[in-house]
């Protein structure tokens, strides 16, 4: 298992923060379990990036990041939980997008897809 992108390590740390943040910040109710579940998803995608490097897990991280941004208003989080979730979600999205921009396989696919259209 080798870290090919520093963004995966950052995502892993964010996932750990999401799992621990309900206890560190004193969340209560549904936001505890949703934050832990989304944090575990971020951790799983980051570990997948270590084990099976591919650009596909970044799309999963972007979706989880979007969920972290939207869920506080859909569920009605308290203010501290909302800030933690939204900031973490934005960081997960930025890390995933940053990795996509620097991933050689994704750049090759993107270039072939848009610069060499099928006949």
């Amino acid at each position: 298992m080798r870290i090919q992108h520093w963004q995966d390590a950052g995502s892993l740390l964010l996932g750990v923060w999401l799992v621990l943040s309900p206890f560190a910040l004193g969340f209560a109710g549904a936001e505890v379990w949703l934050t832990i579940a989304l944090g575990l998803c971020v951790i799983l995608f980051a570990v997948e990036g270590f084990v099976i490097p591919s650009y596909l897990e970044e799309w999963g991280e972007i979706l989880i990041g979007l969920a972290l941004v939207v869920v506080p208003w859909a569920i009605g989080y308290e203010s501290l939980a909302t800030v933690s979730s939204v900031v973490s979600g934005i960081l997960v999205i930025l890390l995933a997008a940053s990795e996509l921009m620097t991933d050689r396989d994704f750049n090759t696919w993107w270039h072939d897809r848009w610069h060499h259209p099928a006949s």
Side-chain angles (χ1 to χ4, degrees):
M1 185 163 61
R2 192 178 114 211
I3 298 177
Q4 291 192 349
H5 299 279
W6 64 267
Q7 295 92 335
D8 288 327
S11 293
L12 180 65
L13 292 175
L14 273 171
V16 170
W17 163 250
L18 286 164
V19 169
L20 298 177
S21 66
F23 308 105
L25 301 176
F27 297 178
E31 59 221 41
V32 172
W33 302 111
L34 284 168
T35 303
I36 290 172
L38 292 171
L40 288 173
C41 290
V42 171
I43 290 169
L44 288 173
F45 280 122
V47 169
E48 180 190 356
F50 298 148
V51 177
I52 308 169
S54 167
Y55 62 86
L56 297 176
E57 78 266 357
E58 306 323 316
W59 293 107
E61 285 184 2
I62 289 172
L63 291 174
I64 297 299
L66 289 172
L68 284 163
V69 170
V70 170
V71 162
W73 287 283
I75 303 299
Y77 281 15
E78 295 176 15
S79 62
L80 189 57
T82 300
V83 170
S84 175
S85 184
V86 170
V87 169
S88 297
I90 290 170
L91 290 173
V92 168
I93 292 168
L94 290 175
L95 286 171
S98 170
E99 185 170 340
L100 281 174
M101 302 286 278
T102 61
D103 189 272
R104 188 176 21 233
D105 292 335
F106 178 73
N107 286 328
T108 301
W109 174 84
W110 184 264
H111 183 268
D112 290 346
R113 172 85 173 137
W114 295 107
H115 295 289
H116 302 292
S119 300

